[in-house]
Amino acid sequence: MLSSLRYRLNRLFAHIWVPIGAYAVLALVAAFIAVALRGLIPEELAFQIGADAIDSLLNILASSMLAVTTFSLSIMLSAFAAASSTATPRAFQLLKTDRTAQQVLASFLGAFIFSLVGIISLKIGIYGEGGRVILFAATILVLVLIVFNLVRWIGHLTDFGRLSDTMDRVEVATTNAMKNRLAAPWLGANPMQGRSPPDRAIPLPSRAVGHMQFINLDRLNTLAQDAGCSIYLDVLPGEFVYQGTVLAHVLEGPIGPEFDTLLAEIHDSFDIGMDRSFDQDPRFGMITLSEIASRALSPAVNDPGTAIDVIRRMTRVMSLWDDRAVPDIDFPHLWVRGMSADEMLRDAFAAIARDGAALYEVQITLQRALLAMAQQSPGIFAYAARAQSQRAMSYAQGAMPIREELDHLQGVADQINGVAHSPQGDGVQAKT
């Protein structure tokens, strides 16, 4: 579970201007430190370094960094376009927040600003002999940093924006979201597990349209504790809400205008935006991976190998969910429903089963993945895996002309059905 401060910081540092601004500030500080410390340099050393030598280095640095930055930006835009066209536009935000690209660009722009400040300061003569020595040493350090980042950038560009790199990023983001959610299955609140809010609880409708990006559970619990009420959340991160959608139900609490103020503060604890986030939402990662597979299965691309790779990646992520969760309650005044195995598998495999209905190699990989999850964690996945298996078989039966292939698929589907009806599967839909 993400704290509010950590969530805000993650969103802040996702913007490329933050590292760029930090490097720019460091460049300015380094340039002006030379002015402050110029009196500490011995005179015999100061006379050995002339202003012309430093000025030439700074001019070369300024002109080359401007060209390298422009070239790097064009490469990044090409990588973004390639990822959107070969994978899915939903993966764009993962490339946009790539730390290596941000740090390299920031170092290039920081070196450019440093050289400009140094050139201007030399022209107006504020450094003196001692300041020129410090400026020369700082310039050498900047050059070393630039060479290091250029080598790092060249190595990074060999994979940046490629389909395999994009899939790796989506899988890592989905894995992290799944691990975070499994560590706090009900986000630290009380599990609802099929129960509905009490009839006398007051609904809180949404005033905005968009995806639920973040829920500040810590603030909600504090509000509920101070007001002496309980809050039943009706939405989870990632879900789409619109004006009138019930965000939560509030039970008990103050009477009169104070209750209206409480409802307004509760509403402010929900962050709603049009962009869906990976942070608290493993289902979004599954949908993104599924979109990559669907694009690969389109007639224009016709790449079933990528779809098979995606199915195996999804299976790897799902395998993290290998045991029924135990509530770990940090927010006793809040009630939250858990993840549903049926929803997770539907988000992951429904589109692939439809788009790859006629491809035996895709369908058999899908059925085996569902069987693996059902056998690994029957109490969690058996029921949901059976439902998706039957759905995939319905698509295959209407698209595959070869009877032997259908019989093979049906054999795996029957094994999934057997696990679902076993004592371990018990045929009950599992939630965290």
Side-chain angles (χ1 to χ4, degrees):
M1 182 201 60
L2 292 175
S3 66
S4 178
L5 177 60
R6 181 183 170 191
Y7 170 74
R8 307 294 176 191
L9 289 176
N10 285 342
R11 295 300 294 262
L12 176 64
F13 285 105
H15 297 288
I16 193 171
W17 60 264
V18 174
I20 289 176
Y23 271 89
V25 170
L26 288 175
L28 292 172
V29 170
F32 287 108
I33 283 178
V35 178
L37 300 182
R38 58 187 177 182
L40 302 179
I41 303 300
E43 293 184 2
E44 60 273 12
L45 179 62
F47 282 110
Q48 296 179 10
I49 300 176
D52 293 339
I54 304 175
D55 185 63
S56 299
L57 284 176
L58 292 175
N59 276 291
I60 295 172
L61 190 61
S63 59
S64 60
M65 285 303 98
L66 185 60
V68 169
T69 302
T70 304
F71 177 69
S72 298
L73 283 173
S74 66
I75 292 177
M76 285 185 62
L77 293 176
S78 299
F80 295 160
S84 298
S85 61
T86 61
T88 171
R90 255 59 61 191
F92 167 74
Q93 60 177 284
L94 295 176
L95 272 74
K96 185 179 67 173
T97 58
D98 180 72
R99 294 299 174 85
T100 300
Q102 289 184 347
Q103 292 172 2
V104 167
L105 281 177
S107 66
F108 292 163
L109 279 176
F112 175 71
I113 294 173
F114 169 81
S115 58
L116 286 183
V117 173
I119 292 171
I120 295 172
S121 301
L122 281 175
K123 296 299 183 183
I124 61 179
I126 66 173
Y127 281 124
E129 286 79 4
R132 288 202 302 269
V133 175
I134 298 176
L135 181 62
F136 179 79
T139 303
I140 297 300
L141 289 177
V142 170
L143 288 173
V144 172
L145 175 65
I146 293 303
V147 171
F148 171 78
N149 279 325
L150 277 173
V151 175
R152 182 186 179 193
W153 186 225
I154 291 171
H156 192 66
L157 288 179
T158 57
D159 293 320
F160 188 60
R162 295 180 181 273
L163 181 59
S164 59
D165 175 63
T166 304
M167 289 196 295
D168 287 341
R169 293 173 188 272
V170 177
E171 183 185 358
V172 169
T174 307
T175 299
N176 292 336
M178 179 67 85
K179 287 180 178 179
N180 291 335
R181 189 61 186 274
L182 293 175
W186 289 275
L187 303 179
N190 296 285
M192 290 180 65
Q193 287 186 317
R195 60 181 293 183
S196 301
D199 294 336
R200 65 182 186 277
I202 305 300
L204 173 66
S206 172
R207 299 193 297 265
V209 178
H211 289 283
M212 185 61 59
Q213 295 181 335
F214 180 74
I215 303 175
N216 192 342
L217 296 167
D218 190 23
R219 183 165 183 255
L220 284 175
N221 188 71
T222 301
L223 291 172
Q225 183 177 1
D226 295 342
C229 67
S230 297
I231 301 176
Y232 295 80
L233 299 181
D234 285 73
V235 295
L236 292 173
E239 295 185 2
F240 184 77
V241 300
Y242 49 89
Q243 293 175 347
T245 301
V246 177
L247 301 178
H249 283 81
V250 182
L251 180 63
E252 307 297 343
I255 301 175
E258 293 183 1
F259 188 75
D260 294 334
T261 302
L262 173 64
L263 291 180
E265 292 178 337
I266 292 174
H267 191 280
D268 292 340
S269 300
F270 296 90
D271 281 4
I272 300 173
M274 291 309 298
D275 294 328
R276 199 167 177 178
S277 171
F278 289 92
D279 295 330
Q280 288 184 323
D281 186 11
R283 289 181 60 187
F284 181 48
M286 290 297 177
I287 292 172
T288 305
L289 284 170
S290 179
E291 289 180 348
I292 295 174
S294 292
R295 186 183 292 270
L297 292 172
S298 65
V301 179
N302 192 23
D303 181 17
T306 294
I308 292 172
D309 187 18
V310 167
I311 293 172
R312 290 169 178 166
R313 290 172 184 269
M314 289 177 171
T315 306
R316 186 159 52 230
V317 175
M318 290 286 193
S319 66
L320 298 172
W321 190 1
D322 58 359
D323 195 8
R324 288 183 181 271
V326 177
D328 186 9
I329 301 173
D330 297 321
F331 308 114
H333 297 277
L334 305 181
W335 299 80
V336 177
R337 55 185 170 87
M339 285 191 305
S340 166
D342 186 64
E343 291 176 345
M344 289 289 291
L345 292 188
R346 185 171 61 248
D347 290 338
F349 299 125
I352 299 176
R354 179 198 64 217
D355 297 333
L359 299 175
Y360 168 77
E361 61 272 27
V362 174
Q363 289 290 344
I364 192 62
T365 303
L366 175 57
Q367 293 288 347
R368 286 172 176 167
L370 292 171
L371 177 61
M373 285 181 284
Q375 290 177 337
Q376 175 184 324
S377 305
I380 297 174
F381 289 116
Y383 177 88
R386 184 186 66 175
Q388 292 304 313
S389 173
Q390 293 174 348
R391 187 175 186 274
M393 283 304 306
S394 298
Y395 280 120
Q397 288 168 357
M400 282 189 186
I402 301 178
R403 187 73 248 173
E404 289 80 4
E405 293 181 344
L406 285 172
D407 291 341
H408 191 192
L409 291 175
Q410 188 61 57
V412 181
D414 290 341
Q415 294 182 57
I416 298 172
N417 189 53
V419 175
H421 284 95
S422 67
Q424 294 83 5
D426 68 26
V428 177
Q429 181 177 357
K431 294 183 180 180
T432 53

